[in-house]
Amino acid sequence: MADLVPFSRAPRPDRPRPSEPEPLWRQMLGDQLRRRRHGRDETLTETAENAGVSPQYLSEVERGLKEPSSEMIAAIAGALDTSLIELTSAVADELRQVTAAPASAAVSGSREAFALAA
């Protein structure tokens, strides 16, 4: 049997802490759903009925209080005449904008590492 060889861990550089925590996916999703519903001039009850969910549930999703399943997100997206990919892409784009500074620094640093390794 092989011997275990301990590896020393290099200290990790301190990462700058953001002043505010990143928003949660469910909060950004809820904001996106509410904006789309308002853009269609629909009431909570109308959209919920079209999606097959209760108005209370849709309200909690829009307020970021519920973590909906992918099936629920798809049903609500369908009720808003959008696709799951359009909805999730819009949420991902918003998250990128909110967290742009730290992410862009990390990406540029990792690209340099790949360029050096190549």
Side-chain angles (χ1 to χ4, degrees), residues 17-101:
R17 296 274 183 205
S19 58
E20 293 183 23
E22 290 183 14
L24 297 175
W25 170 263
R26 68 176 185 248
Q27 293 169 333
M28 300 296 285
L29 173 66
D31 290 344
Q32 184 67 226
L33 291 171
R34 179 172 282 149
R35 280 195 302 276
R36 288 175 184 251
R37 180 175 60 79
H38 285 172
R40 295 168 52 93
D41 292 324
E42 287 187 8
T43 66
L44 198 66
T45 303
E46 291 168 334
T47 303
E49 187 176 296
N50 291 335
V53 300
S54 72
Q56 295 83 3
Y57 182 79
L58 181 56
S59 174
E60 290 177 337
V61 169
E62 285 187 355
R63 290 181 288 142
L65 302 176
K66 289 284 186 191
E67 191 82 53
S69 68
S70 57
E71 290 85 1
M72 287 290 116
I73 298 169
I76 297 167
L80 295 170
D81 290 329
T82 190
S83 69
L84 194 55
I85 191 68
E86 288 172 353
L87 183 62
T88 55
S89 293
V91 173
D93 289 343
E94 285 184 32
L95 281 168
R96 279 189 204 97
Q97 289 174 359
V98 170
T99 59

